[in-house]
Amino acid sequence: SSRHSSSNSTSLWIAGRMNGGSAHRQRLLLMTANVGSLFEEGQRLQDTWLDVISEKILLEEADLSVIHMQETGGKRYVECSGQVPLLIEKLADRIASQYSFCRAFLDLNYTSPAYTALGSIFFVRKDAFTLVHQFDFVRKQFMALPTNNSVEFRVDGLDNEPLAVKRKFPKHFWPAIKWGRKGYLHTRWLVGGKILDLINVHLFHDESNLALIHENPSLYSSNRKRALDYVINACMLDNDEDARINRFIFGDLNFRLDSRTFLNRLTGPAEPHPLEDHTQHGSQDFLKDGLVPLRNDINTSDLRRTVSAIEFRREDGEPNENCVLRIEKKRFDYFNHVKLLAEWESYLQDDKEVDNFPELFEMPITFPPTYPWSEDPLDSGVFMKTRAPAWCDRVLMNKTAYESKNTAQYESIGRQTCMGDHKPVLLVIDL
């Protein structure tokens, strides 16, 4: 962005050479966690979530362990935002044997027009303390961490925070919908001579499942691309030295499966039937509205923007048992929820939205979709019937970071535990 001039980046690199050492291998733990569910139902999921997260952090012994949170405070953020620092303090206590320093940037000012509900939390391992510095965007240099052991919260005034850049996406990105809490939070670190850009991103979600009848790329994925391109361009330096930065973008990117290939995979020969619409439109009106049939042989007058539900039905079987899939605005009800989860590996072929960003890289996905899992601890091993499964939570990186990795482990955690509707995803990487 314009605030990074050539002279500023030169001082950045001088600081990196002075403070860094190449002999030490830098281990990072980068985690993204949509935590909205932790503030529902009397916070009944928090202790289990803390158990899983703290166990993983202690196991990996990374020099810098980072958690990017989205939806801090949950849907009841007015009531629950004050619980967020308490949750982080509990986590810091559980890992204090290895990590003596915690710094958290929390956007909890829900009365601000720029509110994003993002939180970025950083834990520095005791043995690596002298290797870690953080960039000050005002002074344009790296700063040493405080020498005392502490848990430090930066809550107020993140719009003017020198150690982080927080932005809400501009209103003109999507003027037709309610302006939500989507945006990004950017910090820059020096770890053993390696410069890291760590960007917490929450992109637009699919507001309605009925968007599955729109032609791909859908309105939603197009706006996600526009928003993430905006983030990438805003965080880049203005010169060639940007190529030296190890940039990691991780958060709830809300990537969804390609609707055509995914629905064909699920429903096979079943035919789609729109429900609760009695008006007639010709094909010209239908195509003008930007809609296309789910199958090439469907009469274009059969589907309209005003449908409230779509059922995919088999022609064989009993009339009351032939529905394979029912889609409503906020319902995705597949006839066999066990099969839906068991066959998750086949859906990787439908995970195409990341291809919109050829400049970003990702380790191979070897874990089930991260959303939407049941929020009921007694029934945590199934998807909720609210949305189609998808890998919403991702850790992406630029070419520099991808090529400088020594080893990398990419996984979701808490698969056998109720962690909320999103499973946290993490990348453990040695540079």
Side-chain angles (χ1 to χ4, degrees):
S1 62
S2 59
R3 66 170 173 268
H4 299 300
S5 66
S6 297
S7 60
N8 295 338
S9 60
T10 299
S11 65
L12 182 154
W13 294 117
I14 291 174
R17 295 187 184 103
M18 290 176 61
N19 293 316
S22 59
H24 182 81
R25 179 182 297 175
Q26 294 78 46
R27 167 161 280 208
L28 309 175
L29 186 155
L30 309 178
M31 182 186 304
T32 177
N34 185 313
V35 295
S37 298
L38 302 187
F39 304 94
E40 304 290 338
E41 298 292 332
Q43 299 78 54
R44 61 179 177 169
L45 303 182
Q46 288 190 11
D47 285 341
T48 302
W49 187 90
L50 288 168
D51 289 342
V52 173
I53 301 296
S54 59
E55 180 181 0
K56 187 62 177 178
I57 292 176
L58 291 172
L59 176 65
E60 296 299 340
E61 299 182 333
D63 297 328
L64 180 65
S65 291
V66 183
I67 305 177
H68 281 177
M69 293 180 173
Q70 306 83 39
E71 295 192 28
T72 58
K75 295 182 178 65
R76 300 182 298 132
Y77 52 86
V78 174
E79 174 187 348
C80 298
S81 289
Q83 299 173 14
V84 180
L86 299 177
L87 179 72
I88 297 169
E89 285 182 343
K90 291 178 181 178
L91 179 57
D93 287 342
R94 295 187 184 211
I95 63 174
S97 60
Q98 289 186 23
Y99 293 85
S100 58
F101 180 79
C102 167
R103 176 174 283 168
F105 299 88
L106 305 174
D107 185 13
L108 304 180
N109 185 9
Y110 52 81
T111 62
S112 169
Y115 175 55
T116 64
L118 292 172
S120 294
I121 300 91
F122 306 88
F123 299 99
V124 181
R125 191 168 59 87
K126 292 177 180 179
D127 294 344
F129 193 80
T130 58
L131 300 174
V132 179
H133 296 67
Q134 187 174 8
F135 191 67
D136 187 311
F137 289 98
V138 175
R139 297 181 182 180
K140 298 178 175 59
Q141 63 183 13
F142 284 101
M143 310 296 293
L145 301 180
T147 56
N148 60 312
N149 299 343
S150 63
V151 178
E152 178 183 308
F153 293 103
R154 293 174 178 253
V155 178
D156 298 323
L158 286 190
D159 295 329
N160 299 303
E161 169 58 55
L163 298 180
V165 176
K166 188 214 74 175
R167 297 287 184 269
K168 191 172 185 176
F169 291 127
K171 173 66 174 173
H172 67 79
F173 273 18
W174 205 331
I177 67 169
K178 181 181 178 181
W179 202 23
R181 297 174 284 172
K182 307 300 192 293
Y184 74 93
L185 181 58
H186 174 204
T187 62
R188 178 172 291 153
W189 297 78
L190 184 72
V191 182
K194 295 285 188 181
I195 294 182
L196 314 174
D197 261 10
L198 306 179
I199 307 168
N200 184 358
V201 180
H202 194 184
L203 298 182
F204 303 109
H205 62 282
D206 282 19
E207 191 175 44
S208 172
N209 291 327
L210 292 174
L212 296 175
I213 66 173
H214 284 265
E215 182 178 8
N216 284 329
S218 72
L219 171 67
Y220 301 112
S221 62
S222 297
N223 276 282
R224 284 192 285 270
K225 175 170 172 51
R226 182 189 308 176
L228 192 51
D229 285 343
Y230 170 84
V231 173
I232 295 169
N233 292 331
C235 295
M236 290 180 65
L237 295 170
D238 289 334
N239 49 61
D240 294 338
E241 288 183 337
D242 184 79
R244 302 189 194 179
I245 292 182
N246 298 273
R247 180 167 291 119
F248 296 90
I249 297 174
F250 51 114
D252 182 359
L253 304 185
N254 264 313
F255 288 169
R256 304 302 167 112
L257 301 182
D258 180 274
S259 59
R260 279 187 178 276
T261 59
F262 178 58
L263 290 180
N264 284 338
R265 191 181 311 282
L266 283 189
T267 60
E271 293 293 332
H273 296 266
L275 304 179
E276 299 183 21
D277 186 279
H278 305 288
T279 59
Q280 293 294 321
H281 294 278
S283 60
Q284 293 298 319
D285 291 335
F286 181 86
L287 295 174
K288 182 177 65 177
D289 284 341
L291 300 179
V292 296
L294 289 167
R295 300 208 195 287
N296 294 330
D297 58 348
I298 288 181
N299 187 333
T300 54
S301 65
D302 289 341
L303 291 175
R304 288 164 292 272
R305 188 179 297 276
T306 53
V307 298
S308 60
I310 298 173
E311 286 189 353
F312 288 79
R313 302 172 190 160
R314 295 188 301 257
E315 298 304 322
D316 57 334
E318 297 296 326
N320 62 340
E321 297 178 355
N322 64 358
C323 181
V324 174
L325 172 66
R326 181 182 174 95
I327 300 174
E328 301 173 14
K329 181 178 181 180
K330 294 187 178 181
R331 186 169 181 83
F332 189 90
D333 192 354
Y334 189 58
F335 81 106
N336 187 338
H337 68 279
V338 175
K339 181 174 181 284
L340 183 66
L341 177 56
E343 298 182 355
W344 67 266
E345 289 182 81
S346 66
Y347 312 149
L348 283 169
Q349 301 173 56
D350 310 312
D351 179 52
K352 304 173 183 178
E353 195 166 338
V354 69
D355 297 337
N356 292 332
F357 307 95
E359 71 275 35
L360 297 178
F361 296 79
E362 184 177 32
M363 298 303 298
I365 294 176
T366 59
F367 47 87
T370 63
Y371 174 85
W373 291 88
S374 171
E375 297 173 293
D376 184 352
L378 301 179
D379 194 24
S380 60
V382 298
F383 293 128
M384 287 193 291
K385 297 180 179 181
T386 53
R387 303 286 188 182
W391 286 271
C392 294
D393 310 275
R394 315 288 278 253
V395 182
L396 309 180
M397 67 195 90
N398 67 354
K399 184 177 181 180
T400 302
Y402 186 78
E403 292 184 344
S404 67
K405 69 184 184 304
N406 193 307
T407 62
Q409 172 188 347
Y410 192 36
E411 63 177 330
S412 65
I413 59 174
R415 294 195 206 177
Q416 309 302 321
T417 307
C418 188
M419 305 287 284
D421 57 348
H422 289 256
K423 296 293 186 187
V425 170
L426 62 85
L427 176 71
V428 179
I429 186 168
D430 290 330
L431 298 179

